[in-house]
Amino acid sequence: FVVAAALRTQIKGTGISGADGRQVDLHVQHAHLLPDGTVPTIVVTHAEVLWEILAAIVPGVLGMPPSTLDRCSLTYMATMRADDSVASVSSKDSKVYFNVAILQQSECVDVAAMAAGRGWFKGTPAQRKRVWQYWLQRAAMVLGHGPPVGLYDQGVR
């Protein structure tokens, strides 16, 4: 990844490259950086996985143009309020920010297996479905695709 200049006193910007070659912004709170100021590998790995998920569901499942991903960036920050901390639209730059820490908290990424080229998911097929469904619904909500369905649909509860 490429380390960019600090954006604010609280957040450091870095970049990752998606599988499609797209440069993806990753904004990390300073509290989550290593002592030397670099972004931990585990954060970058989870960011790559979250971007893989978003790059698959936004055009492939939601049917939105691939250029929709140009509006998306990743963050890694403490979660204060679940809805706003997962994915939100910035009032400053109108970008949609997805929080990588949420994916990490779900404990579904097998970093060692990913490093060995064996894929990233750990868990049962039902757990995998839940992870993909969760991010699909969050992306649909924040990108204005329509009302939530599934996990967040009152009719399902």
Side-chain angles (χ1 to χ4, degrees):
F1 61 90
V2 178
V3 177
L7 301 175
R8 292 193 296 262
T9 57
Q10 296 293 316
I11 297 176
K12 180 172 189 161
T14 69
I16 62 171
S17 293
D20 61 357
R22 184 184 309 265
Q23 185 69 22
V24 182
D25 293 331
L26 171 61
H27 306 278
V28 180
Q29 282 180 316
H30 281 186
H32 300 290
L33 298 175
L34 296 174
D36 66 358
T38 59
V39 178
T41 302
I42 195 162
V43 171
V44 173
T45 301
H46 280 82
E48 291 169 345
V49 169
L50 181 53
W51 190 257
E52 178 183 323
I53 292 170
L54 293 172
I57 63 175
V58 170
V61 179
L62 295 177
M64 300 177 100
S67 61
T68 303
L69 293 168
D70 294 338
R71 293 181 42 214
C72 300
S73 288
L74 302 176
T75 63
Y76 189 91
M77 63 181 185
T79 56
M80 301 301 225
R81 192 169 159 233
D83 288 342
D84 294 335
S85 296
V86 174
S88 60
V89 178
S90 170
S91 60
K92 290 184 181 181
D93 62 9
S94 299
K95 280 199 165 223
V96 179
Y97 289 88
F98 292 90
N99 193 349
V100 174
I102 303 299
L103 180 67
Q104 185 179 11
Q105 291 168 0
S106 70
E107 298 181 349
C108 67
V109 177
D110 187 335
V111 176
M114 191 174 167
R118 295 191 312 264
W120 60 265
F121 188 77
K122 66 178 177 183
T124 66
Q127 291 167 326
R128 182 181 183 101
K129 177 183 175 186
R130 186 172 174 89
V131 167
W132 280 84
Q133 185 177 25
Y134 178 84
W135 289 105
L136 170 63
Q137 291 162 357
R138 289 303 181 153
M141 286 189 289
V142 77
L143 292 171
H145 189 270
V149 295
L151 294 173
Y152 298 98
D153 183 348
Q154 290 298 323
V156 174
R157 292 180 181 200

